[in-house]
């Protein structure tokens, strides 16, 4: 039987787009590990995805994983939309590339390595780990150290098109 790991995640963005951060709490038996990073320019959805990615990427072996997120975007993305995106070569119904494709591709690969059950929890409703993740993610958003190159390239290209 594989190890059961619980992952609690949250993302935060100060402005959308703006500086952002994610927080991930991993729990295995009585051990707990916290992961967090802050980005200079990103979006809330990207930070929600990064929380999941960080938690799954740190696992060194295939595990049974329970992921708790307050993001409907993440939960619906991994439980419903990702299969259609895969079939349509990562294009939406209007034939555009899926937003945040770089992160969705990372998650898609990680889904193959673990047996994952997804739980959606209401944000700011007193869920202890979600509240902790929210505080940690906001702190990281206020202290960014990483450039989200993929997003910044898209952001600045769109900005230049408008000029």
């Amino acid at each position: 039987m594989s190890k059961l790991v619980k992952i609690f995640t949250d993302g935060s963005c100060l402005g959308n787009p703006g500086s952002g951060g994610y927080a991930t709490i991993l729990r295995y038996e009585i051990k707990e590990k916290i992961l967090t990073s802050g980005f200079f320019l990103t979006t809330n959805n990207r930070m929600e995805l990064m929380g999941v990615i960080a938690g799954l990427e740190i696992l060194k072996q295939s595990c049974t994983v329970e992921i708790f997120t307050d993001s409907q975007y993440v939960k619906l993305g991994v439980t419903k939309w990702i299969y259609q995106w895969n079939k349509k070569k990562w294009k939406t119904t209007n034939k555009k590339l899926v937003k945040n494709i770089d992160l969705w591709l990372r998650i898609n690969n990680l889904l193959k390595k673990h047996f994952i059950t997804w739980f959606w929890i209401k944000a700011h409703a007193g869920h202890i780990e979600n509240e902790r993740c929210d505080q940690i993610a906001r702190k990281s958003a206020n202290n960014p150290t990483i450039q989200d190159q993929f997003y910044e390239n898209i952001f600045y290209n769109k900005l230049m098109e408008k000029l």
Side-chain angles (χ1 to χ4, degrees):
M1 183 156 172
S2 67
K3 294 178 179 178
L4 171 62
V5 178
K6 292 186 179 192
I7 297 177
F8 305 90
T9 70
D10 200 15
S12 177
C13 208
L14 309 175
N16 199 18
S19 64
Y22 70 83
T24 306
I25 298 172
L26 290 101
R27 189 171 295 140
Y28 172 67
E29 295 178 346
I30 61 168
K31 297 176 192 160
E32 189 174 276
K33 184 173 188 85
I34 297 173
L35 309 171
T36 188
S37 289
F39 294 76
F40 290 104
L41 181 65
T42 191
T43 67
N44 190 67
N45 282 341
R46 289 183 69 78
M47 293 298 92
E48 296 283 359
L49 290 167
M50 279 304 302
V52 171
I53 290 167
L56 292 173
E57 282 184 344
I58 202 165
L59 299 176
K60 293 178 175 60
Q61 59 186 284
S62 179
C63 297
T64 298
V65 182
E66 294 179 349
I67 298 180
F68 298 81
T69 178
D70 64 9
S71 170
Q72 285 286 0
Y73 175 70
V74 171
K75 181 154 187 293
L76 291 172
V78 293
T79 60
K80 294 188 183 202
W81 307 332
I82 204 165
Y83 305 105
Q84 287 301 105
W85 293 336
N86 249 321
K87 284 182 190 175
K88 295 180 179 186
K89 298 185 178 171
W90 298 96
K91 299 231 169 98
T92 62
T93 51
N94 59 1
K95 308 228 187 304
K96 291 185 179 181
L97 274 181
V98 169
K99 284 185 181 178
N100 304 314
I101 189 170
D102 59 321
L103 302 181
W104 284 116
L105 289 171
R106 283 170 72 181
I107 285 179
N108 191 50
N109 285 331
L110 293 164
L111 293 176
K112 298 170 190 171
K113 297 178 183 177
H114 306 285
F115 179 75
I116 303 172
T117 306
W118 297 88
F119 297 92
W120 179 79
I121 51 177
K122 186 172 171 57
H124 311 292
H127 186 280
I128 294 169
E129 289 86 358
N130 182 254
E131 298 293 340
R132 284 177 61 203
C133 284
D134 180 64
Q135 290 173 353
I136 296 164
R138 266 190 282 118
K139 185 175 180 181
S140 290
N142 276 303
N143 298 288
T145 59
I146 300 172
Q147 286 189 267
D148 186 343
Q149 289 294 146
F150 187 89
Y151 179 75
E152 286 186 16
N153 287 340
I154 291 170
F155 180 84
Y156 290 118
N157 285 339
K158 285 182 181 177
L159 188 63
M160 295 307 287
E161 287 173 8
K162 291 181 181 179
L163 299 178

